[in-house]
């Protein structure tokens, strides 16, 4: 199967998924096909400590469960970089998209300790909606 066909199959699977849970399963399968360990699809709204209603992830539970209550989501440089980029990026290149503060660097150190050492993020920008990342 060609890469284009793979993408079309993926898009069709997402579009026809009957629930967010099913979309999460499609994302998990695609993530593993690309040989990544985890996926996240998150929407950030314009409040620093809040994520939007779209949140699908298989990141470690101990990491996810503490993000919003601890306020650490405000320091997530990946989500912030999504607001500054329209093209996919690796986490190791965050500093080429935006300056990283000591809080951003600490956040990424904590992410590595939680098993999230490197990632590949695709910003999703929908006109009139809050930005998302996958």
């Amino acid at each position: 199967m060609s890469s284009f066909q793979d993408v079309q199959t993926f898009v069709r699977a997402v579009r026809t998924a009957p629930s967010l849970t099913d979309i999460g399963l499609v994302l998990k399968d695609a993530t593993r096909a690309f040989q990544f360990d985890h996926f996240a699809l998150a929407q950030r709204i314009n409040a620093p400590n809040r994520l939007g209603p779209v949140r699908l992830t298989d990141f470690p539970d101990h990491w996810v469960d503490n993000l919003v209550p601890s306020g650490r989501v405000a320091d997530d440089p990946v989500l912030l970089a999504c607001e500054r980029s329209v093209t996919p990026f690796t986490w190791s290149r965050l500093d080429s998209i935006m300056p990283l503060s000591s809080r951003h660097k600490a956040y990424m150190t904590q992410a590595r300790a939680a098993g999230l050492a490197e990632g590949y993020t695709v910003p999703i920008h929908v006109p009139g909606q809050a930005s998302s990342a996958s």
Side-chain angles (χ1 to χ4, degrees):
M1 188 180 293
S2 74
S3 296
F4 181 74
Q5 288 173 320
D6 291 342
V7 169
Q8 292 300 334
T9 299
F10 170 77
V11 169
R12 189 172 25 262
V14 170
R15 283 187 176 161
T16 60
S19 69
L20 281 177
T21 299
D22 292 307
I23 291 172
L25 294 173
V26 172
L27 288 171
K28 184 175 182 175
D29 289 345
T31 300
R32 300 312 183 268
F34 283 112
Q35 299 181 347
F36 289 109
D37 296 327
H38 300 287
F39 78 89
L41 174 64
Q43 182 182 37
R44 186 169 181 260
I45 59 175
N46 290 333
N49 288 332
R50 299 207 33 223
L51 291 175
V54 177
R55 285 187 240 174
L56 296 171
T57 185
D58 70 348
F59 280 6
D61 288 339
H62 66 278
W63 176 255
V64 175
D65 292 344
N66 194 31
L67 274 180
V68 174
S70 70
R72 288 189 309 167
V73 73
D75 296 319
D76 186 335
V78 175
L79 290 175
L80 294 170
C82 284
E83 296 172 3
R84 294 167 173 80
S85 180
V86 294
T87 59
F89 57 87
T90 59
W91 294 357
S92 57
R93 304 268 309 148
L94 282 170
D95 60 353
S96 70
I97 298 170
M98 58 180 265
L100 297 179
S101 70
S102 59
R103 290 172 64 130
H104 297 142
K105 291 174 185 176
Y107 181 96
M108 294 309 291
T109 298
Q110 293 168 348
R112 278 189 290 284
L116 305 169
E118 176 63 281
Y120 186 78
T121 296
V122 179
I124 302 169
H125 301 284
V126 178
Q129 297 292 319
S131 294
S132 298
S134 177

